[in-house]
Short mmCIF file of all heavy atoms in Angstrom, two decimals:
data_model
loop_
_atom_site.label_atom_id
_atom_site.label_comp_id
_atom_site.label_asym_id
_atom_site.label_seq_id
_atom_site.Cartn_x
_atom_site.Cartn_y
_atom_site.Cartn_z
N PHE A 24 -151.22 120.00 -175.82
CA PHE A 24 -149.86 120.44 -175.57
C PHE A 24 -149.42 120.06 -174.15
O PHE A 24 -148.31 119.55 -173.95
CB PHE A 24 -149.73 121.96 -175.77
CG PHE A 24 -148.41 122.50 -175.35
CD1 PHE A 24 -147.29 122.29 -176.13
CD2 PHE A 24 -148.28 123.22 -174.18
CE1 PHE A 24 -146.05 122.78 -175.75
CE2 PHE A 24 -147.04 123.72 -173.79
CZ PHE A 24 -145.92 123.49 -174.58
N LEU A 25 -150.28 120.30 -173.17
CA LEU A 25 -149.92 119.97 -171.79
C LEU A 25 -149.76 118.48 -171.60
O LEU A 25 -148.83 118.03 -170.91
CB LEU A 25 -150.98 120.52 -170.84
CG LEU A 25 -151.06 122.05 -170.77
CD1 LEU A 25 -152.25 122.46 -169.90
CD2 LEU A 25 -149.79 122.65 -170.25
N VAL A 26 -150.62 117.68 -172.21
CA VAL A 26 -150.49 116.22 -172.12
C VAL A 26 -149.18 115.77 -172.75
O VAL A 26 -148.47 114.92 -172.20
CB VAL A 26 -151.70 115.52 -172.78
CG1 VAL A 26 -151.44 114.04 -172.98
CG2 VAL A 26 -152.95 115.72 -171.94
N SER A 27 -148.84 116.33 -173.90
CA SER A 27 -147.58 115.92 -174.55
C SER A 27 -146.38 116.31 -173.71
O SER A 27 -145.39 115.58 -173.67
CB SER A 27 -147.49 116.54 -175.95
OG SER A 27 -147.36 117.94 -175.88
N GLN A 28 -146.44 117.45 -173.02
CA GLN A 28 -145.34 117.86 -172.15
C GLN A 28 -145.21 116.92 -170.95
O GLN A 28 -144.10 116.57 -170.55
CB GLN A 28 -145.55 119.30 -171.66
CG GLN A 28 -145.41 120.34 -172.74
CD GLN A 28 -144.00 120.41 -173.27
OE1 GLN A 28 -143.05 120.49 -172.53
NE2 GLN A 28 -143.87 120.34 -174.58
N ILE A 29 -146.33 116.51 -170.40
CA ILE A 29 -146.28 115.61 -169.25
C ILE A 29 -145.79 114.24 -169.67
O ILE A 29 -144.94 113.64 -169.00
CB ILE A 29 -147.68 115.52 -168.58
CG1 ILE A 29 -148.02 116.85 -167.91
CG2 ILE A 29 -147.72 114.39 -167.56
CD1 ILE A 29 -149.44 116.95 -167.42
N ARG A 30 -146.29 113.73 -170.79
CA ARG A 30 -145.90 112.38 -171.23
C ARG A 30 -144.45 112.31 -171.67
O ARG A 30 -143.81 111.27 -171.52
CB ARG A 30 -146.81 111.91 -172.35
CG ARG A 30 -148.16 111.53 -171.86
CD ARG A 30 -148.96 110.87 -172.94
NE ARG A 30 -150.28 110.60 -172.41
CZ ARG A 30 -150.82 109.40 -172.43
NH1 ARG A 30 -150.19 108.40 -172.96
NH2 ARG A 30 -152.02 109.23 -171.93
N SER A 31 -143.92 113.38 -172.23
CA SER A 31 -142.53 113.35 -172.69
C SER A 31 -141.55 113.49 -171.53
O SER A 31 -140.36 113.24 -171.70
CB SER A 31 -142.28 114.47 -173.70
OG SER A 31 -142.29 115.73 -173.07
N GLY A 32 -142.05 113.91 -170.38
CA GLY A 32 -141.17 114.08 -169.23
C GLY A 32 -140.54 115.45 -169.16
O GLY A 32 -139.65 115.69 -168.35
N ALA A 33 -140.96 116.37 -170.02
CA ALA A 33 -140.37 117.70 -170.06
C ALA A 33 -140.64 118.48 -168.78
O ALA A 33 -139.87 119.36 -168.41
CB ALA A 33 -140.90 118.48 -171.26
N TRP A 34 -141.73 118.16 -168.09
CA TRP A 34 -142.06 118.89 -166.88
C TRP A 34 -141.66 118.16 -165.61
O TRP A 34 -141.82 118.67 -164.52
CB TRP A 34 -143.55 119.21 -166.85
CG TRP A 34 -143.90 120.33 -167.77
CD1 TRP A 34 -143.04 121.04 -168.55
CD2 TRP A 34 -145.17 120.86 -168.03
NE1 TRP A 34 -143.70 121.98 -169.28
CE2 TRP A 34 -145.02 121.89 -168.97
CE3 TRP A 34 -146.43 120.58 -167.57
CZ2 TRP A 34 -146.08 122.63 -169.45
CZ3 TRP A 34 -147.49 121.32 -168.06
CH2 TRP A 34 -147.31 122.34 -168.98
N GLY A 35 -141.16 116.95 -165.75
CA GLY A 35 -140.65 116.21 -164.61
C GLY A 35 -141.66 115.96 -163.51
O GLY A 35 -141.36 116.18 -162.34
N GLU A 36 -142.85 115.52 -163.87
CA GLU A 36 -143.88 115.22 -162.88
C GLU A 36 -143.51 113.93 -162.15
O GLU A 36 -143.06 112.97 -162.74
CB GLU A 36 -145.23 115.03 -163.56
CG GLU A 36 -145.79 116.28 -164.18
CD GLU A 36 -146.20 117.31 -163.14
OE1 GLU A 36 -146.59 116.92 -162.03
OE2 GLU A 36 -146.09 118.50 -163.45
N TRP A 37 -143.71 113.92 -160.84
CA TRP A 37 -143.43 112.72 -160.05
C TRP A 37 -144.48 111.65 -160.27
O TRP A 37 -144.16 110.47 -160.35
CB TRP A 37 -143.38 113.07 -158.57
CG TRP A 37 -142.18 113.89 -158.22
CD1 TRP A 37 -142.15 115.23 -158.05
CD2 TRP A 37 -140.85 113.43 -158.04
NE1 TRP A 37 -140.89 115.64 -157.77
CE2 TRP A 37 -140.05 114.55 -157.75
CE3 TRP A 37 -140.24 112.18 -158.09
CZ2 TRP A 37 -138.70 114.46 -157.51
CZ3 TRP A 37 -138.89 112.10 -157.84
CH2 TRP A 37 -138.13 113.21 -157.56
N ASP A 38 -145.71 112.09 -160.38
CA ASP A 38 -146.82 111.15 -160.53
C ASP A 38 -147.55 111.47 -161.83
O ASP A 38 -148.51 112.23 -161.85
CB ASP A 38 -147.76 111.27 -159.32
CG ASP A 38 -148.77 110.16 -159.26
OD1 ASP A 38 -148.67 109.22 -160.06
OD2 ASP A 38 -149.68 110.24 -158.42
N GLU A 39 -147.07 110.90 -162.93
CA GLU A 39 -147.61 111.21 -164.25
C GLU A 39 -149.10 110.87 -164.38
O GLU A 39 -149.86 111.69 -164.89
CB GLU A 39 -146.80 110.50 -165.33
CG GLU A 39 -147.25 110.80 -166.72
CD GLU A 39 -146.42 110.08 -167.75
OE1 GLU A 39 -145.21 109.97 -167.58
OE2 GLU A 39 -147.01 109.62 -168.75
N PRO A 40 -149.56 109.71 -163.95
CA PRO A 40 -151.00 109.41 -164.08
C PRO A 40 -151.88 110.39 -163.32
O PRO A 40 -152.94 110.79 -163.80
CB PRO A 40 -151.14 108.00 -163.52
CG PRO A 40 -149.79 107.40 -163.64
CD PRO A 40 -148.83 108.52 -163.47
N GLU A 41 -151.45 110.81 -162.14
CA GLU A 41 -152.23 111.76 -161.36
C GLU A 41 -152.27 113.13 -162.05
O GLU A 41 -153.30 113.79 -162.08
CB GLU A 41 -151.67 111.89 -159.95
CG GLU A 41 -152.43 112.86 -159.07
CD GLU A 41 -153.84 112.42 -158.78
OE1 GLU A 41 -154.14 111.22 -158.84
OE2 GLU A 41 -154.67 113.30 -158.48
N ALA A 42 -151.14 113.54 -162.61
CA ALA A 42 -151.09 114.82 -163.32
C ALA A 42 -152.00 114.80 -164.54
O ALA A 42 -152.73 115.77 -164.81
CB ALA A 42 -149.66 115.13 -163.73
N LEU A 43 -151.99 113.69 -165.28
CA LEU A 43 -152.87 113.57 -166.45
C LEU A 43 -154.33 113.53 -166.04
O LEU A 43 -155.19 114.12 -166.70
CB LEU A 43 -152.50 112.32 -167.26
CG LEU A 43 -151.18 112.38 -168.00
CD1 LEU A 43 -150.85 111.04 -168.61
CD2 LEU A 43 -151.20 113.46 -169.05
N LYS A 44 -154.62 112.85 -164.94
CA LYS A 44 -156.00 112.78 -164.45
C LYS A 44 -156.52 114.16 -164.08
O LYS A 44 -157.63 114.54 -164.45
CB LYS A 44 -156.06 111.84 -163.24
CG LYS A 44 -157.42 111.71 -162.63
CD LYS A 44 -157.36 110.81 -161.41
CE LYS A 44 -158.64 110.90 -160.63
NZ LYS A 44 -158.55 110.22 -159.34
N ARG A 45 -155.70 114.93 -163.37
CA ARG A 45 -156.13 116.27 -162.98
C ARG A 45 -156.28 117.19 -164.17
O ARG A 45 -157.21 117.99 -164.24
CB ARG A 45 -155.12 116.87 -161.99
CG ARG A 45 -155.20 116.25 -160.65
CD ARG A 45 -154.23 116.90 -159.70
NE ARG A 45 -154.28 116.22 -158.43
CZ ARG A 45 -154.11 116.83 -157.29
NH1 ARG A 45 -153.87 118.12 -157.25
NH2 ARG A 45 -154.16 116.15 -156.16
N LEU A 46 -155.36 117.08 -165.12
CA LEU A 46 -155.42 117.90 -166.32
C LEU A 46 -156.69 117.60 -167.12
O LEU A 46 -157.39 118.52 -167.55
CB LEU A 46 -154.18 117.67 -167.19
CG LEU A 46 -154.16 118.38 -168.54
CD1 LEU A 46 -154.14 119.89 -168.34
CD2 LEU A 46 -152.97 117.94 -169.34
N MET A 47 -157.00 116.35 -167.31
CA MET A 47 -158.19 115.97 -168.06
C MET A 47 -159.46 116.37 -167.31
O MET A 47 -160.45 116.79 -167.94
CB MET A 47 -158.21 114.47 -168.34
CG MET A 47 -157.18 114.04 -169.31
SD MET A 47 -157.41 114.87 -170.89
CE MET A 47 -156.04 114.24 -171.78
N THR A 48 -159.45 116.28 -165.99
CA THR A 48 -160.61 116.69 -165.21
C THR A 48 -160.88 118.18 -165.41
O THR A 48 -162.03 118.59 -165.63
CB THR A 48 -160.38 116.40 -163.72
OG1 THR A 48 -160.16 115.00 -163.56
CG2 THR A 48 -161.57 116.83 -162.89
N VAL A 49 -159.84 118.98 -165.36
CA VAL A 49 -160.00 120.42 -165.54
C VAL A 49 -160.42 120.74 -166.98
O VAL A 49 -161.33 121.55 -167.21
CB VAL A 49 -158.70 121.17 -165.18
CG1 VAL A 49 -158.77 122.62 -165.59
CG2 VAL A 49 -158.44 121.05 -163.69
N ALA A 50 -159.79 120.11 -167.96
CA ALA A 50 -160.10 120.39 -169.36
C ALA A 50 -161.53 119.99 -169.71
O ALA A 50 -162.26 120.76 -170.35
CB ALA A 50 -159.11 119.66 -170.27
N PHE A 51 -161.95 118.80 -169.29
CA PHE A 51 -163.30 118.35 -169.61
C PHE A 51 -164.35 119.07 -168.78
O PHE A 51 -165.51 119.12 -169.15
CB PHE A 51 -163.43 116.83 -169.45
CG PHE A 51 -162.67 116.06 -170.50
CD1 PHE A 51 -161.92 114.96 -170.15
CD2 PHE A 51 -162.71 116.44 -171.82
CE1 PHE A 51 -161.23 114.24 -171.10
CE2 PHE A 51 -162.02 115.73 -172.79
CZ PHE A 51 -161.27 114.63 -172.43
N GLY A 52 -163.96 119.63 -167.66
CA GLY A 52 -164.87 120.44 -166.87
C GLY A 52 -165.02 121.84 -167.43
O GLY A 52 -166.07 122.47 -167.31
N ALA A 53 -163.95 122.35 -168.04
CA ALA A 53 -163.98 123.71 -168.59
C ALA A 53 -164.74 123.78 -169.91
O ALA A 53 -165.33 124.82 -170.23
CB ALA A 53 -162.56 124.22 -168.80
N ALA A 54 -164.75 122.72 -170.68
CA ALA A 54 -165.40 122.73 -171.99
C ALA A 54 -166.89 123.10 -171.90
O ALA A 54 -167.32 124.02 -172.61
CB ALA A 54 -165.20 121.40 -172.69
N PRO A 55 -167.68 122.46 -171.06
CA PRO A 55 -169.09 122.88 -170.99
C PRO A 55 -169.29 124.25 -170.35
O PRO A 55 -170.23 124.96 -170.69
CB PRO A 55 -169.77 121.79 -170.16
CG PRO A 55 -168.73 120.92 -169.64
CD PRO A 55 -167.45 121.23 -170.31
N LEU A 56 -168.38 124.63 -169.44
CA LEU A 56 -168.50 125.95 -168.83
C LEU A 56 -168.28 127.06 -169.85
O LEU A 56 -168.81 128.16 -169.71
CB LEU A 56 -167.52 126.09 -167.67
CG LEU A 56 -167.82 125.26 -166.44
CD1 LEU A 56 -166.74 125.44 -165.40
CD2 LEU A 56 -169.18 125.60 -165.88
N ILE A 57 -167.48 126.77 -170.86
CA ILE A 57 -167.28 127.73 -171.95
C ILE A 57 -168.45 127.66 -172.93
O ILE A 57 -168.94 128.68 -173.39
CB ILE A 57 -165.95 127.44 -172.68
CG1 ILE A 57 -164.77 127.71 -171.75
CG2 ILE A 57 -165.83 128.27 -173.95
CD1 ILE A 57 -163.44 127.27 -172.30
N ALA A 58 -168.91 126.46 -173.22
CA ALA A 58 -169.89 126.27 -174.29
C ALA A 58 -171.31 126.68 -173.90
O ALA A 58 -172.03 127.26 -174.73
CB ALA A 58 -169.89 124.81 -174.73
N ILE A 59 -171.72 126.41 -172.69
CA ILE A 59 -173.12 126.65 -172.31
C ILE A 59 -173.53 128.12 -172.46
O ILE A 59 -174.57 128.40 -173.07
CB ILE A 59 -173.40 126.11 -170.90
CG1 ILE A 59 -173.38 124.58 -170.93
CG2 ILE A 59 -174.72 126.61 -170.35
CD1 ILE A 59 -173.44 123.93 -169.57
N PRO A 60 -172.76 129.09 -171.95
CA PRO A 60 -173.18 130.49 -172.16
C PRO A 60 -173.22 130.89 -173.63
O PRO A 60 -174.12 131.62 -174.06
CB PRO A 60 -172.13 131.31 -171.41
CG PRO A 60 -171.49 130.37 -170.47
CD PRO A 60 -171.60 129.02 -171.07
N PHE A 61 -172.27 130.39 -174.41
CA PHE A 61 -172.26 130.71 -175.83
C PHE A 61 -173.47 130.13 -176.55
O PHE A 61 -174.05 130.77 -177.42
CB PHE A 61 -170.96 130.24 -176.49
CG PHE A 61 -169.82 131.17 -176.31
CD1 PHE A 61 -168.91 130.99 -175.28
CD2 PHE A 61 -169.64 132.24 -177.16
CE1 PHE A 61 -167.85 131.85 -175.11
CE2 PHE A 61 -168.59 133.12 -176.99
CZ PHE A 61 -167.69 132.93 -175.96
N VAL A 62 -173.84 128.91 -176.20
CA VAL A 62 -175.01 128.29 -176.84
C VAL A 62 -176.28 129.06 -176.48
O VAL A 62 -177.14 129.28 -177.34
CB VAL A 62 -175.10 126.80 -176.43
CG1 VAL A 62 -176.42 126.20 -176.86
CG2 VAL A 62 -173.95 126.02 -177.01
#
Side-chain angles (χ1 to χ4, degrees):
F24 172 74
L25 293 174
V26 167
S27 67
Q28 292 294 310
I29 291 171
R30 286 189 183 234
S31 71
W34 285 358
E36 293 291 330
W37 290 100
D38 191 8
E39 183 180 321
E41 180 65 24
L43 289 173
K44 179 182 168 189
R45 287 182 183 214
L46 175 64
M47 291 300 177
T48 301
V49 170
F51 290 136
L56 290 177
I57 293 171
I59 289 171
F61 278 95
V62 169

